[in-house]
Amino acid sequence: MKMKRLKAVKSALWLLVGAAFAIAVFRFWRGLGPTTALTDLTPWGFWIGFDVMGGVALAAGGFCIAATVYVFHLERYRPILRPAVLTAFLGYAAVVVGLMFDLGLPWSIWHMVVFWNPRSPLFEVGWCVMLYLSVLLMEFLPVVLEMSKHPILSRIYELLHKFTVPLVILGIMLSTLHQSSLGSLFLIMPHRLDPLWYTPILPILFFISAVALGLMMVTTESLFSSWLYEEEYELDLLQGLGKVAAGVLWFYLAVRLSDLAYRGNLAHALDGGFGPTLFIFEILVSVIVPATLLTIPATRKKMTTLATAAGFTVFGFVFHRINVGGLAMIETTGTRYSPSWTELTVSFGIVALAALVFFWVAERFHLMHGGPMMKGRENLPDIATFRPRLIRGAVMFVTGAAVATALLPASALDGWAVVPQHVHRPGYGDIMILDGNRNDKGVKFDHKMHIDVAEGNDKCAFCHHMVKPGARATGCSECHKDEHLATSIFDHRLHQELLAQGTGCLTCHADTTKPKDLEHSRPCLDCHESMIPAGAAFKPRESPNIGLAPGYMDAMHGLCERCHREQDGGSSTDAPTLARCSTCHSGVVKPFNPLHPDQRLPQPANAEDKAE
Amino acid sequence: MKAILTDVTKCIGCERCVQSCRIANDLGTVLPFRWLLDDGLSAVRWCSVLRKDGKFVRKQCMHCVQPACVGICPVGALQKTAEGPVIYDSGKCLGCRYCMMSCPFGIPRYDWESAVPFVRKCQMCYQGRVSKGVQPGCTAGCPVQATIFGERDLLLAEAKKRIADNPDRYLPTVFGESEVGGTCVLYLAPMQLDILTLGNKLDERPMPSRTATAMSAVPPVFVGMGAVMTGIYWIIERRMRLERDKAAANGTPPKAGHAPSGHGHNSSDGKEG
């Protein structure tokens, strides 16, 4: 059956679009935190690195081919002009959609039009995207309008056609700025970016690589659509582009390496380690392999090797954009960010949607290969042929959405909802059983004692605050987290108040020329010698400054237990209750179950047991 | 220009500044979210006390003299005030987080858990206090005057005096005097304060100057590219027209491979396809 490839590819694309759509709903509902892997240290992730940086780079084919055909008058490239312009338009549209996901306040994007900061590279990038997207729309609109017989649409078509050349030149001007400005964005990040990528000429490198990438993207697209629609490969045309791309690639390599050499960073590339490895891989994939294949005429004119070269260049330079946009910052910032599957799915979903639009246009309009790819579809859709396609697409979309929703983490589905803390009052005193850490382990909790110990006006809020998503109160471990650590028991404020009269500070900080820290202060034992009773089992180290007490765990697993045993003459059977491990670690006391709090205590043997 | 001077050797690590900041700015309390850093700063904690070599180093926005964030914010949501503080206007922000990427000290934080998130950072209590001539919460709250508020020039002089009086106690430089072109938060310390910066080592060049060169090239590149492209188009178009005219005069058809005009609708578009 014909078009089997097309059906399979389209189904996969609809699946991705559906999944991305489901994630999008939760992204806007629950915010960026629960649905992405972004952090304060890595506020830009895959959506910037791939969608924005990669999308713009992939769209470079549009201005390259438009310049070739209209400015340089190389008419034989006209057959690939329209797909190149459409790809550019869709690429930029994908950038805008991707940006909508990434921006914290996407509904405020119009602020860029009203509030100006012309010093900002991002301001320029934003304006270029807006303007170039409009220019691309006007460049491409004739393809759609030429099919129409409506007089007004025909008039618009003629008008746009008249201004083709000025529009194309404006498009080239905007692209030049925009492609390079994406590099300028990162000039403000010398602290983040690895020196193998950071250079003041980053914008120039971005522009040169965009030309090579644009040519190779057009090549990839032409080869792929020929494969998909089972048409002849346009090898003769494409090898001409390859020849130019080879030159651009070698030029790019020369500029990049000489810049590194000039700044004395070339040796760093051979250091090994993460950054240099990334660099060598990037250079191999983006330049050396494809440029070699494109330079040799035999491999340039063969479909498989040309496709390899094109694929390598496209992948290599998108990889370069991702490196600049984040990967080359991993080592310098020590971030642990890696894109979550939700981010990846949204990104690929946007690309999938762009591809579906591309196919839709290719099948209905005079885009490439001399006409609509689906004969008869330029008319209004016939419901009989339309329905099965619609159903297939819809089924894949819904499946994708359902799978994505099922896989989403709980935080993304529910947001950081307030989870009540389980408290049970055993019925005596001010003691309650409280599962403070929400790990199903209840402990006895003396509420009154905690009120007495806590200080300040907001002391209730210290535990009972409501600002933390996912929690109604501070977990016990928030305060008691250092119980396995030796604890500083020195209370400066107490000493300050007790010694406040006269030259109080000088009591400890005797030497005023020295810093007022532990090291340079009077040893604690000078005053507190009497605090250590004669014959104490635990003897503080012979350090002049005692600031540390054994942590809770040390106390329980060594020091205190030993003392209790000693008191009892070494017999563990007769040891006081506290010294028996089984008092706590018996297994009799069950884990706390908030639904049945009473079950935590040992249950009296019930009737059935007795009967047996 | 107002500034804050923090003397690391005087700090006792009581975190009263953190508490005062929380009260002065009406901030909440923080849970250990996945997206927070170890330095303790967050959308609801704009000041924290780091520990290094047994010393306490207070971290907050450095209020650079020429701030990276102010230079690159596409909508100017971040502004450097005449008094010194770098302030944020949430009404302009569109959430691009470029400021977070650009800050060499990694100061701005984000409301990640919110569906309507904003950038959050220390604003030196500009709105409620400094603009009214009152010192910020943190310096007011410090029980040992380890962190003090005043005119930047005077604080710099004071810092240099302390170094001169106690050369053994401090490194001979004031951190913030010239880092990234100078900051309005200054430090006196006995050790290097690398823990305050993010990533690669900084030099004294103000951050905005790094993008300024590229941005100043924008208008000439734009116009130049347009001129070059129009020129090339015009020259080739003219040459082809002359060739065509010559061919028409000689009565021979034009050279193959050259289309009649870039203006006209070309038949190879396949309109009849």
Side-chain angles (χ1 to χ4, degrees):
Chain A
M1 192 183 158
K2 207 165 183 279
M3 299 294 171
K4 221 179 211 169
R5 289 171 182 174
L6 189 65
K7 266 185 198 167
V9 169
K10 277 191 180 174
S11 299
L13 293 176
W14 274 117
L15 195 74
L16 270 173
V17 173
F21 178 80
I23 296 167
V25 170
F26 289 99
R27 144 73 188 93
F28 289 110
W29 186 9
R30 297 305 188 191
L32 283 165
T35 44
T36 67
L38 296 171
T39 66
D40 275 335
L41 184 60
T42 316
W44 281 5
F46 194 71
W47 286 344
I48 295 289
F50 175 78
D51 294 33
V52 175
M53 306 280 290
V56 168
L58 291 176
F63 86 92
C64 293
I65 301 298
T68 309
V69 174
Y70 287 110
V71 176
F72 296 100
H73 292 75
L74 295 171
E75 283 293 333
R76 63 195 183 95
Y77 288 103
R78 194 175 276 275
I80 52 171
L81 173 65
R82 287 181 160 194
V85 172
L86 178 61
T87 311
F89 176 71
L90 291 176
Y92 272 84
V95 168
V96 172
V97 174
L99 207 57
M100 288 295 161
F101 281 87
D102 191 75
L103 287 180
L105 309 163
W107 48 87
S108 302
I109 192 155
W110 57 271
H111 286 185
M112 198 96 87
V113 184
V114 186
F115 306 117
W116 282 32
N117 181 12
R119 282 191 301 159
S120 166
L122 193 59
F123 173 81
E124 195 215 315
V125 168
W127 270 92
C128 281
V129 171
M130 277 190 280
L131 294 175
Y132 190 43
L133 196 62
S134 317
V135 167
L136 280 169
L137 186 67
M138 286 191 275
E139 271 185 53
F140 187 71
L141 217 50
V143 177
V144 179
L145 294 179
E146 72 188 5
M147 304 287 279
S148 167
K149 310 257 181 316
H150 195 280
I152 297 175
L153 294 179
S154 303
R155 185 81 198 93
I156 298 175
Y157 166 78
E158 274 159 27
L159 197 70
L160 285 175
H161 217 283
K162 222 176 195 170
F163 288 104
T164 302
V165 171
L167 274 177
V168 162
I169 290 178
L170 184 60
I172 295 166
M173 292 156 78
L174 288 169
S175 281
T176 310
L177 283 192
H178 185 218
Q179 293 288 352
S180 55
S181 292
L182 272 190
S184 310
L185 275 188
F186 293 88
L187 291 179
I188 200 79
M189 301 175 205
H191 56 298
R192 281 179 175 262
L193 206 50
D194 191 294
L196 286 173
W197 283 270
Y198 185 87
T199 158
I201 63 158
L202 208 53
I204 297 169
L205 290 177
F206 264 57
F207 178 72
I208 302 172
S209 57
V211 174
L213 173 57
L215 294 174
M216 286 298 99
M217 184 60 194
V218 172
T219 308
T220 310
E221 206 173 76
S222 169
L223 292 175
F224 180 70
S225 62
S226 299
W227 173 82
L228 196 66
Y229 291 103
E230 295 159 37
E231 296 272 344
E232 283 281 310
Y233 295 110
E234 295 163 313
L235 284 181
D236 197 35
L237 267 183
L238 299 178
Q239 71 92 17
L241 294 183
K243 203 171 170 182
V244 178
V248 179
L249 284 172
W250 290 124
F251 178 62
Y252 168 83
L253 185 68
V255 173
R256 180 128 188 229
L257 292 184
S258 43
D259 168 65
L260 277 177
Y262 172 73
R263 287 180 302 111
N265 284 326
L266 202 52
H268 174 42
L270 303 170
D271 282 353
F274 182 71
T277 313
L278 208 63
F279 173 78
I280 290 171
F281 176 72
E282 183 203 298
I283 290 288
L284 275 178
V285 170
S286 63
V287 183
I288 294 180
V289 173
T292 310
L293 285 176
L294 292 172
T295 308
I296 304 164
T299 45
R300 187 172 68 228
K301 287 172 182 161
K302 215 170 128 216
M303 203 285 282
T304 45
T305 36
L306 180 64
T308 311
F312 266 64
T313 315
V314 169
F315 172 81
F317 280 117
V318 171
F319 189 64
H320 170 252
R321 301 304 197 258
I322 292 176
N323 283 341
V324 174
L327 272 183
M329 299 181 188
I330 284 184
E331 234 177 3
T332 44
T333 58
T335 179
R336 274 172 292 178
Y337 169 84
S338 67
S340 64
W341 69 269
T342 44
E343 285 167 81
L344 297 175
T345 309
V346 166
S347 293
F348 296 136
I350 294 170
V351 175
L353 189 62
L356 283 170
V357 174
F358 186 92
F359 294 148
W360 188 84
V361 175
E363 284 161 16
R364 276 160 189 80
F365 303 97
H366 297 284
L367 187 72
M368 54 189 186
H369 302 298
M373 303 313 293
M374 296 270 178
K375 303 292 179 239
R377 279 204 198 166
E378 59 271 51
N379 302 318
L380 275 176
D382 173 8
I383 199 70
T385 59
F386 187 56
R387 190 178 290 144
R389 291 204 310 274
L390 187 73
I391 291 173
R392 192 169 55 238
V395 166
M396 295 314 283
F397 181 88
V398 172
T399 312
V403 170
T405 310
L407 290 175
L408 274 175
S411 62
L413 291 174
D414 306 335
W416 294 92
V418 173
V419 179
Q421 188 176 37
H422 304 298
V423 178
H424 171 64
R425 196 179 274 274
Y428 55 89
D430 204 20
I431 306 286
M432 40 184 117
I433 292 173
L434 183 133
D435 179 19
N437 289 333
R438 294 171 197 80
N439 56 1
D440 291 343
K441 285 178 184 149
V443 292
K444 282 181 186 167
F445 179 82
D446 187 339
H447 191 253
K448 188 171 179 304
M449 185 270 280
H450 278 79
I451 297 176
D452 294 343
V453 168
E455 287 175 345
N457 297 328
D458 53 350
K459 65 181 178 184
C460 296
F462 193 74
C463 295
H464 293 289
H465 59 76
M466 299 286 287
V467 294
K468 297 177 180 179
R472 180 167 280 176
T474 309
C476 301
S477 60
E478 284 282 297
C479 299
H480 295 279
K481 63 186 164 194
D482 58 348
E483 294 205 332
H484 62 288
L485 300 170
T487 312
S488 174
I489 51 166
F490 179 72
D491 188 340
H492 187 270
R493 206 166 134 207
L494 181 75
H495 283 74
Q496 205 182 343
E497 279 165 17
L498 289 174
L499 303 168
Q501 282 81 29
T503 54
C505 300
L506 291 175
T507 314
C508 299
H509 304 294
D511 188 348
T512 49
T513 63
K514 294 275 164 53
K516 290 186 182 59
D517 55 18
L518 196 63
E519 206 180 312
H520 296 94
S521 303
R522 193 172 172 194
C524 302
L525 283 179
D526 273 14
C527 305
H528 293 292
E529 208 171 350
S530 63
M531 282 180 107
I532 301 168
F538 173 68
K539 293 198 176 52
R541 276 167 289 170
E542 299 300 322
S543 149
N545 286 303
I546 309 159
L548 300 178
Y552 180 76
M553 261 173 40
D554 279 342
M556 295 319 284
H557 290 128
L559 302 167
C560 302
E561 190 227 10
R562 210 173 299 141
C563 299
H564 281 278
R565 256 191 216 171
E566 276 168 16
Q567 248 185 1
D568 209 52
S571 156
S572 61
T573 47
D574 299 330
T577 323
L578 192 64
R580 278 199 213 113
C581 304
S582 63
T583 304
C584 301
H585 299 283
S586 65
V588 174
V589 182
K590 289 179 187 164
F592 181 70
N593 180 347
L595 296 176
H596 304 284
D598 294 333
Q599 283 180 4
R600 184 173 156 73
L601 302 168
Q603 297 287 308
N606 57 29
E608 282 90 344
D609 289 341
K610 268 177 195 163
E612 279 176 4
Chain B
M1 202 163 9
K2 298 290 184 198
I4 288 174
L5 172 65
T6 298
D7 188 333
V8 171
T9 65
K10 284 188 158 195
C11 180
I12 56 168
C14 68
E15 300 208 351
R16 198 74 71 82
C17 47
V18 181
Q19 195 193 13
S20 310
C21 172
R22 192 150 63 84
I23 293 165
N25 293 292
D26 202 12
L27 302 174
T29 321
V30 216
L31 254 193
F33 285 132
R34 164 180 64 70
W35 45 77
L36 301 185
L37 308 187
D38 294 340
D39 65 6
L41 293 187
S42 78
V44 291
R45 201 172 196 259
W46 300 347
C47 151
S48 72
V49 177
L50 310 177
R51 280 151 183 82
K52 195 200 174 192
D53 304 344
K55 304 281 190 298
F56 304 103
V57 185
R58 192 161 85 82
K59 184 170 184 179
Q60 61 169 112
C61 175
M62 298 293 284
H63 299 282
C64 306
V65 175
Q66 296 183 53
C69 55
V70 173
I72 54 76
C73 177
V75 289
L78 288 148
Q79 290 296 337
K80 177 86 179 165
T81 57
E83 292 94 328
V86 176
I87 57 166
Y88 169 73
D89 180 355
S90 59
K92 283 185 177 175
C93 182
L94 50 82
C96 68
R97 307 189 291 286
Y98 194 18
C99 50
M100 300 175 73
M101 291 296 286
S102 73
C103 179
F105 302 98
I107 295 297
R109 300 299 152 105
Y110 211 52
D111 283 332
W112 293 108
E113 69 274 20
S114 170
V116 186
F118 296 103
V119 171
R120 299 291 183 208
K121 75 168 196 70
C122 160
Q123 310 192 45
M124 218 195 258
C125 292
Y126 179 73
Q127 227 111 68
R129 302 173 71 105
V130 169
S131 61
K132 295 172 185 160
V134 184
Q135 64 168 320
C138 52
T139 55
C142 183
V144 290
Q145 281 75 53
T147 186
I148 53 175
F149 177 77
E151 281 296 325
R152 187 169 187 267
D153 301 343
L154 299 179
L155 287 182
L156 257 178
E158 165 69 18
K160 286 187 175 151
K161 186 173 162 287
R162 287 190 198 174
I163 292 173
D165 291 350
N166 289 295
D168 302 340
R169 185 163 165 167
Y170 304 108
L171 288 184
T173 49
V174 183
F175 185 88
E177 184 184 7
S178 56
E179 275 72 14
V180 293
T183 62
C184 283
V185 173
L186 307 164
Y187 287 87
L188 275 174
M191 74 287 199
Q192 293 293 340
L193 291 177
D194 299 340
I195 43 168
L196 289 177
T197 60
L198 177 69
N200 296 328
K201 208 167 158 39
L202 303 170
D203 53 23
E204 301 186 354
R205 194 170 160 196
M207 298 292 281
S209 72
R210 293 175 181 274
T211 45
T213 320
M215 293 310 291
S216 63
V218 164
V221 166
F222 186 69
V223 174
M225 198 66 182
V228 167
M229 284 295 142
T230 314
I232 293 174
Y233 169 80
W234 185 79
I235 290 169
I236 299 180
E237 177 75 16
R238 182 171 168 275
R239 205 177 58 202
M240 285 170 62
R241 197 178 57 238
L242 289 177
E243 247 174 59
R244 243 189 346 264
D245 292 349
K246 214 165 87 187
N250 294 347
T252 50
K255 249 202 246 168
H258 280 206
S261 164
H263 269 299
H265 186 52
N266 199 288
S267 60
S268 63
D269 277 8
K271 192 176 177 179
E272 62 286 342

